[in-house]
Amino acid sequence: MNQPTEPKADKSGVRRHNLSLVLRTVHDAGESTRAAVAARVGLTRPAVSSLVEQLLALGLLVESGKTFSGQAGRPGTVLKPADTGPAGLGVEISVDYVTACVVDLTGTDRVRRTERLDHHATGVPEVLARAARVAAEALDAAAERRLVPAGAGLALPGLVSGGTVRQAPNLGWHGVEAERLFGEALTALRPAVRGLPLTSDNEAHMAALAELWSGPPGGPRTFLHLTGETGVGGAIVVHGELLRGAHGFAGEIGHLTVDAAGPRCRCGAHGCLEQYAGQTALLAAAGASGVQDLTDRARAGEARALAALAEAGRMLGRALAGAVNLLDPEAVVLGGIYPRLMTWLVPALSAELSTRAVSGLWTPEAGRVRPASTAADASRGAAGLVLHDVLADPLAYATNPVA
């Protein structure tokens, strides 16, 4: 029996696809010309010119001066993504802060608002209402820059699926319908955003996406990303795609057991990695009042601080060695508080990796353990997830009323 075939795309469907192809090509290059885009995507120059004219009319591309290739012929007009119009709103809700940012189509972080808020003893509706207030203030600032939210991404702690935080041990959240509660709170503050598309994921997943999309050019495409905050979050990127697992919960490296006889974790198990390398545990072991205090003590050579950092590094290396043996990444990227502490964490971490990773590729000299980009955090990854939807279907998000 013949298998049914996929229906052929009609002309309008093909054009939507090609509009996305051209916009993504210019976006990825930062700037380009019609001729360069045509060469890149394999369409004729007249076809690309027609698509570019539509994207210009829709306000998704702008022209900026001329470029000379050094070859015969007329100079090309430089094309860039517009820095007005559709933008992504990213909101990160952590244990002790909320961050909201708005990112435009060029990938530039145009607005950022952060508030330090202790959420341990705060009710769920209040936490999400606070996040909505910070997001509303960011949207007001974005509107002054002629940016229109195409959607909002929520970066949330714990196990997240279907818009719900299934479990967040460090906050005591269970079965929290975060997307719904946040959306209702934001709409109550700014009725104009009613119906704004919302998406959500674990904060470490969002931070890894930010690293993938906003990190340095030529960065790894297959890597483990660890985020040191109150606990330890993790994410796995394989060939440029986030590995979410069967239920969206992949990457929970903070709850790998590194010492079965270790202290009890909030998750109920004993000896989880975050009981040694999470911010709360690390500061307690060092007797420090905060990360800055810890770094000051370490620079001063205080024995207790150095011992706590060395132990955290050893336990990180122990957990990472198992992940490295299982997944064979190009690199390990450390985010959150870890970049500020790498001087003291990495020696013990690398020694464990060198000893335990069977490939022999993880010697201290290999330089495979690296800090996260300063431009890559969970809120930016959440905003980037919105922008990827815009790039995938520009017509659905264009703010200019031109078909």
Side-chain angles (χ1 to χ4, degrees):
M1 179 182 292
N2 293 331
Q3 295 295 321
T5 59
E6 292 291 328
K8 292 183 178 180
D10 58 18
K11 289 183 178 180
S12 63
V14 170
R15 188 165 184 86
R16 289 183 87 104
H17 169 79
N18 288 339
L19 284 168
S20 169
L21 187 61
V22 169
L23 182 60
R24 282 187 285 115
T25 300
V26 177
H27 172 272
D28 292 347
E31 61 179 46
S32 191
T33 64
R34 289 167 173 79
V37 170
R40 176 70 176 170
V41 303
L43 297 173
T44 65
R45 289 184 65 172
V48 167
S49 289
S50 173
L51 294 163
V52 165
E53 291 303 320
Q54 186 171 0
L55 290 167
L56 289 168
L58 290 168
L60 298 171
L61 289 180
V62 294
E63 293 179 306
S64 175
K66 300 287 185 179
T67 183
F68 294 87
S69 65
Q71 300 176 354
R74 293 182 296 174
T77 303
V78 176
L79 300 170
K80 295 181 180 180
D83 61 2
T84 57
L89 169 65
V91 181
E92 179 184 2
I93 301 174
S94 190
V95 173
D96 56 1
Y97 66 86
V98 169
T99 292
C101 72
V102 179
V103 178
D104 67 21
L105 273 178
T106 72
T108 302
D109 196 336
R110 299 288 299 281
V111 177
R112 179 168 288 267
R113 298 285 187 273
T114 297
E115 285 194 15
R116 295 285 169 181
L117 305 164
D118 185 358
H119 295 150
H120 287 97
T122 306
V124 169
E126 185 178 349
V127 171
L128 291 164
R130 286 175 171 179
R133 177 176 53 78
V134 175
E137 293 170 358
L139 288 177
D140 291 345
E144 294 175 359
R145 295 162 173 79
R146 294 189 296 145
L147 294 168
V148 180
L154 294 179
L156 299 163
L159 304 180
V160 182
S161 69
T164 297
V165 178
R166 306 295 174 180
Q167 181 181 358
N170 288 323
L171 279 176
W173 287 10
H174 300 276
V176 173
E177 296 180 21
E179 278 188 26
R180 179 182 64 80
L181 292 170
F182 173 85
E184 290 173 354
L186 184 60
T187 300
L189 291 169
R190 301 293 184 275
V193 303
R194 185 181 301 277
L196 184 72
L198 294 177
T199 188
S200 60
D201 206 334
N202 169 267
E203 58 189 347
H205 287 183
M206 295 293 202
L209 290 175
E211 183 67 28
L212 178 67
W213 296 330
S214 305
R221 304 279 293 171
T222 299
F223 60 93
L224 301 176
H225 191 285
L226 268 68
T227 303
E229 296 288 352
T230 298
V232 180
I236 305 159
V237 176
V238 179
H239 301 311
E241 297 290 336
L242 184 65
L243 179 64
R244 288 188 167 87
H247 307 95
F249 303 153
E252 285 291 327
I253 195 169
H255 295 287
L256 284 183
T257 299
V258 291
D259 181 0
R264 186 176 178 85
C265 180
R266 290 175 184 266
C267 74
H270 285 267
C272 292
L273 173 63
E274 70 174 40
Q275 294 303 305
Y276 300 90
Q279 177 177 307
T280 299
L282 183 52
L283 294 179
S289 61
V291 177
Q292 186 59 54
D293 184 37
L294 176 58
T295 58
D296 291 342
R297 290 168 183 253
R299 288 193 186 99
E302 185 182 290
R304 183 177 175 183
L306 293 176
L309 287 162
E311 178 72 352
R314 279 191 292 272
M315 293 306 189
L316 281 165
R318 185 176 296 181
L320 284 168
V324 164
N325 285 335
L326 184 65
L327 299 167
D328 185 30
E330 299 170 64
V332 167
V333 179
L334 300 179
I337 66 169
Y338 292 145
R340 298 167 63 184
L341 303 173
M342 287 188 67
T343 298
W344 305 282
L345 289 174
V346 168
L349 188 163
S350 292
E352 287 288 323
L353 271 177
S354 180
T355 300
R356 297 173 181 271
V358 297
S359 66
L361 300 175
W362 291 81
T363 62
E365 299 76 24
R368 292 176 176 269
V369 179
R370 59 190 66 178
S373 167
T374 56
D377 67 3
S379 64
R380 189 176 178 86
L385 207 56
V386 173
L387 292 177
H388 271 245
D389 288 341
V390 176
L391 295 171
D393 188 4
L395 281 179
Y397 295 93
T399 55
N400 283 359
V402 179

